[in-house]
Amino acid sequence: MRLTDYTDYSLRALIYVASHPDESVTIQHIADAYGIPRNHLIKIVQKLGQAGFLRTARGRAGGLRLGRPAGEINIGEVVRTTESDFALVECFHEEDHCVITRACVLKGVLHRALQAWFQVLDGVTLFDLVDRPATLNRAFSQALALADVRDELRQAASKRAAPPRRGGSRRQAGT
């Protein structure tokens, strides 16, 4: 089972917000901390807000906060909300064209495995994932510092690559 980037980023956004319980955070803070696209996060935050996982406020004093306590945000629920398809194999779908479906026991095995996977996720809350916020915040700070260095290097490289500008007017040939 592989989670989509959408679910991965959703979980990361929730972890970031939960690790900053005393402040409103912005989408840009989350994007910078993880190095993930801001535009993608906008859609994710909207869905997390609609589902009640986040509380969003617009404007100058706006930002993101958890929609309910971290101990009440179940990771299995988040995954079910953000993933669209848990059909691990073709025979999980209504339109099953596999020729051995009637004789195959794989579907049952995979179904039990999926149930076990969700049983583990259902036993974990967001609070469990952020029980050491100082450690997480240290990691976020290091990631942001690295992002700043990368940005400075990119800017320096683009300045070196730009052709030199010449000032003044150009002389026309033959004058």
Side-chain angles (χ1 to χ4, degrees):
M1 177 90 200
R2 179 178 166 90
L3 296 175
T4 60
D5 286 345
Y6 191 91
T7 298
D8 179 20
Y9 295 167
S10 296
L11 292 168
R12 290 194 218 184
L14 289 170
I15 289 169
Y16 188 89
V17 174
S19 68
H20 295 82
D22 298 328
E23 60 186 280
S24 288
V25 300
T26 66
I27 292 171
Q28 192 62 55
H29 287 143
I30 299 168
D32 290 345
Y34 289 114
I36 55 181
R38 182 181 184 277
N39 289 339
H40 200 52
L41 276 173
I42 291 170
K43 296 175 204 166
I44 289 168
V45 164
Q46 182 181 10
K47 182 160 187 163
L48 293 174
Q50 290 169 345
F53 298 121
L54 288 178
R55 193 175 63 219
T56 62
R58 291 183 171 207
R60 185 175 215 151
L64 309 171
R65 290 184 168 274
L66 292 181
R68 52 189 191 238
E72 295 177 18
I73 297 177
N74 181 276
I75 300 306
E77 180 186 0
V78 174
V79 171
R80 284 183 188 90
T81 301
T82 57
E83 284 292 319
S84 60
D85 184 11
F86 294 104
L88 299 178
V89 288
E90 180 185 343
C91 57
F92 276 38
H93 293 286
E94 290 286 324
E95 292 186 30
D96 174 14
H97 301 290
C98 180
V99 297
I100 64 168
T101 296
R102 289 185 187 164
C104 184
V105 296
L106 180 61
K107 180 178 180 178
V109 170
L110 291 176
H111 182 72
R112 287 193 315 274
L114 186 60
Q115 286 178 319
W117 188 67
F118 272 116
Q119 185 177 9
V120 170
L121 293 178
D122 288 339
V124 179
T125 67
L126 184 57
F127 181 80
D128 298 325
L129 301 181
V130 296
D131 69 343
R132 296 184 341 218
T135 304
L136 280 172
N137 287 327
R138 216 174 10 263
F140 289 134
S141 294
Q142 291 169 350
L144 288 170
L146 232 96
D148 289 343
V149 169
R150 269 190 302 240
D151 289 344
E152 289 173 16
L153 290 173
R154 275 192 214 115
Q155 288 174 357
S158 67
K159 285 179 184 176
R160 283 193 306 265
R165 293 188 174 203
R166 295 182 184 160
S169 62
R170 290 189 167 171
R171 288 182 137 176
Q172 292 185 358
T175 56

